[in-house]
Amino acid sequence: MISWFRKAVIKWLQHKRPLPSTPLSDFERIRHELKPCDVILVEGRSRVSEVIKLITQSSWSHAALYIGRLHDLENPLLKDFLRQHYIGTADKQLLIESELGMGTVVRPLTTYELEHLRICRPRNLGYHDSQQVIAYAIGRLGTAYDVRQIFDLARFLFPWWVLPRRWRSSLFKSHPGQNTHTVCSTMIAEAFGSIQFPILPLVKRLEGDRYKLFMRNPKLCTPSDFDYSPYFDIIKYPFLDFHTYSDQRLLPWSGAGELNEDERLMYVSIAEQEPAAPTAEDA
């Protein structure tokens, strides 16, 4: 009974709203820009994505780690292990992610071809370190998704007066051995933590000009943290690249398209803003 209820809740949380009529990202440019160890942020469309957006106050609800193609891996043991979890051609661009109802899996980049995406690139990360991060992520393949952590994070972010502290979260309880459940951003934060690469650390000033960095609990990491982090460069490729135009007035504001009733509440037509030409009656 519990298993049936759990599956029903997961199925309900996985339900997605339709894709927007116009894509927000230029997938082809993103595909050619990506480098192994880039973090890809996704503006999810599922119900669980809306929960994550609400509790993190961000439009980014999911994160995935880009690992390149199968032949990009230099370690033959990692290649063999990856083949156990991925059935496909070696020329496919791959990413590793933890997703509700699936756990930690490897999937082709084209899974998010029509989604709103952003690239977060770790700054000054060497090849050897990037391979270590990827190796850690590959080692987590098959790990189950930690549904409870989403609700623990929500409880942790509630004000003190809403819930007593003892009810707020189990995120900080230590358990011996390796965790058997994870979520998308936690898995990636742990991968970067394995090489001591910071995301959003606590920086404390000591005596004089000395500073000490404290690594943040990976279970508190959210997809938006990679967007805010000063240690990651942000790369955007909007579907309509404004840099193509030297003057903003050359942008295609004019056209024959019309807004529907719902869109008129959020957008305005340039034609409606322009003053009408004077007529003979106005003279």
Side-chain angles (χ1 to χ4, degrees), residues 173-192:
K173 292 182 180 179
S174 58
H175 300 279
Q178 189 179 41
N179 290 334
T180 57
H181 294 72
T182 189
V183 296
C184 62
S185 48
T186 292
M187 183 275 293
I188 298 174
E190 289 173 343
F192 281 101

Side-chain angles (χ1 to χ4, degrees), residues 82-115:
L82 190 61
R83 286 192 182 100
Q84 297 177 23
H85 295 268
Y86 171 70
I87 301 175
T89 58
D91 62 336
K92 288 285 187 181
Q93 291 177 279
L94 304 175
L95 49 84
I96 292 179
E97 59 185 344
S98 297
E99 186 164 331
L100 180 67
M102 301 178 65
T104 303
V105 295
V106 56
R107 294 204 286 179
L109 175 66
T110 49
T111 301
Y112 295 108
E113 184 171 359
L114 301 177
E115 305 289 349

Side-chain angles (χ1 to χ4, degrees), residues 168-233:
R168 289 184 67 203
S169 178
S170 62
L171 290 174
F172 301 107
K173 292 182 180 179
S174 58
H175 300 279
Q178 189 179 41
N179 290 334
T180 57
H181 294 72
T182 189
V183 296
C184 62
S185 48
T186 292
M187 183 275 293
I188 298 174
E190 289 173 343
F192 281 101
S194 68
I195 61 165
Q196 305 298 308
F197 191 92
I199 298 174
L200 281 178
L202 172 64
V203 182
K204 298 197 74 171
R205 185 169 186 172
L206 306 178
E207 296 180 2
D209 293 331
R210 295 187 301 117
Y211 295 87
K212 183 175 177 62
L213 272 65
F214 294 85
M215 186 177 297
R216 196 178 189 190
N217 184 343
K219 291 187 176 182
L220 287 179
C221 184
T222 65
S224 60
D225 288 345
F226 297 98
D227 191 27
Y228 299 145
S229 174
Y231 305 103
F232 285 75
D233 292 323

Side-chain angles (χ1 to χ4, degrees), residues 14 23 34 52 57 85 99 112 154 175 213 219 249 273 281:
Q14 287 178 314
L34 280 169
I52 296 172
Q57 295 296 294
H85 295 268
E99 186 164 331
Y112 295 108
H175 300 279
L213 272 65
K219 291 187 176 182
R249 294 189 180 277
Q273 290 186 320
E281 296 179 0

Side-chain angles (χ1 to χ4, degrees), residues 61-276:
S61 61
H62 184 63
L65 183 70
Y66 178 68
I67 64 171
R69 296 173 173 85
L70 192 62
H71 56 67
D72 291 332
L73 298 175
E74 60 179 14
N75 188 328
L77 295 178
L78 285 179
K79 287 184 179 180
D80 292 340
F81 186 76
L82 190 61
R83 286 192 182 100
Q84 297 177 23
H85 295 268
Y86 171 70
I87 301 175
T89 58
D91 62 336
K92 288 285 187 181
Q93 291 177 279
L94 304 175
L95 49 84
I96 292 179
E97 59 185 344
S98 297
E99 186 164 331
L100 180 67
M102 301 178 65
T104 303
V105 295
V106 56
R107 294 204 286 179
L109 175 66
T110 49
T111 301
Y112 295 108
E113 184 171 359
L114 301 177
E115 305 289 349
H116 185 201
L117 307 176
R118 175 171 293 179
I119 302 173
C120 299
R121 177 164 296 161
R123 189 173 299 162
N124 300 324
L125 186 67
Y127 176 78
H128 178 70
D129 283 341
S130 69
Q131 289 297 302
Q132 282 190 266
V133 172
I134 292 172
Y136 182 96
I138 292 175
R140 298 293 277 163
L141 287 173
T143 304
Y145 190 90
D146 193 355
V147 180
R148 178 174 178 177
Q149 187 175 327
I150 298 298
F151 296 102
D152 277 349
L153 184 60
R155 288 190 294 156
F156 180 80
L157 295 177
F158 281 152
W160 293 106
W161 55 269
V162 175
L163 291 174
R165 183 170 185 171
R166 66 180 182 276
W167 292 358
R168 289 184 67 203
S169 178
S170 62
L171 290 174
F172 301 107
K173 292 182 180 179
S174 58
H175 300 279
Q178 189 179 41
N179 290 334
T180 57
H181 294 72
T182 189
V183 296
C184 62
S185 48
T186 292
M187 183 275 293
I188 298 174
E190 289 173 343
F192 281 101
S194 68
I195 61 165
Q196 305 298 308
F197 191 92
I199 298 174
L200 281 178
L202 172 64
V203 182
K204 298 197 74 171
R205 185 169 186 172
L206 306 178
E207 296 180 2
D209 293 331
R210 295 187 301 117
Y211 295 87
K212 183 175 177 62
L213 272 65
F214 294 85
M215 186 177 297
R216 196 178 189 190
N217 184 343
K219 291 187 176 182
L220 287 179
C221 184
T222 65
S224 60
D225 288 345
F226 297 98
D227 191 27
Y228 299 145
S229 174
Y231 305 103
F232 285 75
D233 292 323
I234 306 303
I235 303 172
K236 306 177 187 178
Y237 282 117
F239 181 73
L240 181 60
D241 190 356
F242 291 175
H243 293 93
T244 304
Y245 304 91
S246 59
D247 187 338
Q248 68 174 16
R249 294 189 180 277
L250 294 178
L251 292 174
W253 298 114
S254 59
E258 296 183 358
L259 299 174
N260 61 38
E261 187 174 348
D262 292 334
E263 291 170 338
R264 290 194 192 99
L265 299 175
M266 297 182 289
Y267 302 96
V268 295
S269 170
I270 298 300
E272 294 175 356
Q273 290 186 320
E274 294 177 351

